[in-house]
């Protein structure tokens, strides 16, 4: 019940295209859903996050879509750029978002 | 602010050796945690602390010890290293200011540990 599933494992997108990464969770008590971006040799950094009381959150080219009934959420990267090439992790947490359960990650490559 | 710092960046151990991974933060965060990152498995929580003097186990605590004597520091100890502990270790911290807060976890740069 603590697991967060993430797909695809890897993704190749052309510059200017849309990158979509999907996650699913089991525990309906999760109440905070962040996405983290990680570049090689670096620690993960928060990209965008959402709480289950909204269905969508947009920050610049990055959008989270949240489907509470399906227990799924996704990250959309519009106008993908080579600089977006990184590994993306979805996560979920209980309470005030302290103990996170992470998905296995998606390695995104944006071709120039 | 330096944020979350970790030392060392790289370490090679032999099976059975012990060592301590250091983690410090200068943001006065109450919550600190240790994760390990393995290929295809994301980040898994090892131990966490909600404040000085308080620690608890995460998903994969076996083989690791922690202590939290100050708000700033949260060292992770490997008592007897095993090859299965070869991984990249990340320390993270966040504020526990409540539901209205950002809840952002700040991660350190990581320690790459190899156990031979």
């Amino acid at each position: 019940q603590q697991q967060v599933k993430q797909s695809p494992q890897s993704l190749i997108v052309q510059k200017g295209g849309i990158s979509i990464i999907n996650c699913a969770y089991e525990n309906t008590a999760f109440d905070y859903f962040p996405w983290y971006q990680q570049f090689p040799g670096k620690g993960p950094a928060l990209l965008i996050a959402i709480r289950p009381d909204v269905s969508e959150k947009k920050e610049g080219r990055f959008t989270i879509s949240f489907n509470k009934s399906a227990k799924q959420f996704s990250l959309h990267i519009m106008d993908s750029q080579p600089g977006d090439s990184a590994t993306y992790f979805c996560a979920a947490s209980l309470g005030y978002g302290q103990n996170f359960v992470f998905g296995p990650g998606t390695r995104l490559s944006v071709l120039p | 602010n330096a944020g979350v710092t970790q030392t060392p960046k790289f370490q090679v151990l032999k099976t059975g050796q012990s060592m301590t991974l250091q983690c410090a933060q200068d943001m006065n965060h109450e919550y600190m945690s240790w994760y390990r990152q393995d290929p295809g498995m994301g980040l898994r929580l090892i131990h966490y602390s909600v404040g000085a003097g308080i620690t608890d186990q995460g998903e994969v605590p076996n083989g690791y010890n922690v202590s939290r004597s100050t708000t700033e520091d949260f060292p992770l100890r490997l008592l007897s290293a095993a090859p299965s502990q070869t991984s990249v270790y990340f320390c993270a911290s966040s504020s526990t200011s409540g539901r209205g807060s950002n809840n952002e976890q700040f991660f350190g740069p990581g320690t790459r540990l190899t156990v031979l």
Side-chain angles (χ1 to χ4, degrees):
Chain A
Q1 261 211 331
Q2 289 292 89
Q3 191 177 12
V4 174
K5 297 179 181 179
Q6 183 174 347
S7 63
Q9 185 174 356
S10 62
L11 181 62
I12 299 174
V13 174
Q14 293 286 340
K15 178 182 176 181
I18 302 174
S19 304
I20 301 174
I21 305 171
N22 300 299
C23 285
Y25 63 97
E26 293 291 328
N27 190 343
T28 55
F30 285 142
D31 70 347
Y32 178 69
F33 302 89
W35 283 90
Y36 276 80
Q37 180 187 55
Q38 184 181 31
F39 293 104
K42 305 292 186 183
L46 179 66
L47 185 63
I48 186 172
I50 197 169
R51 292 197 183 276
D53 50 351
V54 297
S55 60
E56 185 176 282
K57 183 173 181 179
K58 184 176 181 179
E59 291 184 0
R61 296 184 294 110
F62 301 92
T63 299
I64 298 179
S65 296
F66 186 83
N67 187 329
K68 189 173 182 178
S69 61
K71 292 184 287 185
Q72 295 175 347
F73 58 111
S74 60
L75 175 69
H76 295 236
I77 305 174
M78 311 298 289
D79 187 27
S80 298
Q81 299 296 313
D84 297 330
S85 297
T87 299
Y88 293 80
F89 294 95
C90 62
S93 71
L94 300 168
Y96 295 134
Q98 307 311 329
N99 288 356
F100 288 4
V101 178
F102 282 86
T106 296
R107 179 171 290 185
L108 172 66
S109 296
V110 181
L111 303 180
Chain B
N1 284 352
V4 179
T5 58
Q6 291 183 239
T7 56
K9 292 193 177 204
F10 302 94
Q11 183 71 50
V12 179
L13 293 177
K14 295 181 179 179
T15 297
Q17 286 185 315
S18 63
M19 79 158 296
T20 299
L21 279 63
Q22 301 291 344
C23 174
Q25 53 92 9
D26 61 0
M27 298 173 281
N28 201 32
H29 285 165
E30 303 90 341
Y31 178 87
M32 296 185 74
S33 57
W34 278 101
Y35 293 87
R36 59 176 291 172
Q37 182 175 29
D38 302 293
M41 301 189 72
L43 293 97
R44 292 182 292 168
L45 183 65
I46 304 172
H47 285 285
Y48 66 97
S49 168
V50 298
I54 306 170
T55 64
D56 207 345
Q57 297 180 349
E59 179 186 356
V60 288
N62 292 342
Y64 308 94
N65 277 359
V66 293
S67 60
R68 183 95 179 270
S69 57
T70 66
T71 299
E72 295 78 18
D73 301 298
F74 191 44
L76 178 72
R77 296 183 186 84
L78 283 71
L79 302 178
S80 178
S84 62
Q85 293 179 305
T86 293
S87 187
V88 181
Y89 291 84
F90 289 99
C91 179
S93 75
S94 66
S95 172
T96 58
S97 57
R99 193 169 184 83
S101 71
N102 182 316
N103 291 334
E104 178 177 357
Q105 284 214 23
F106 294 85
F107 284 82
T111 294
R112 185 174 294 273
L113 175 67
T114 301
V115 182
L116 303 175

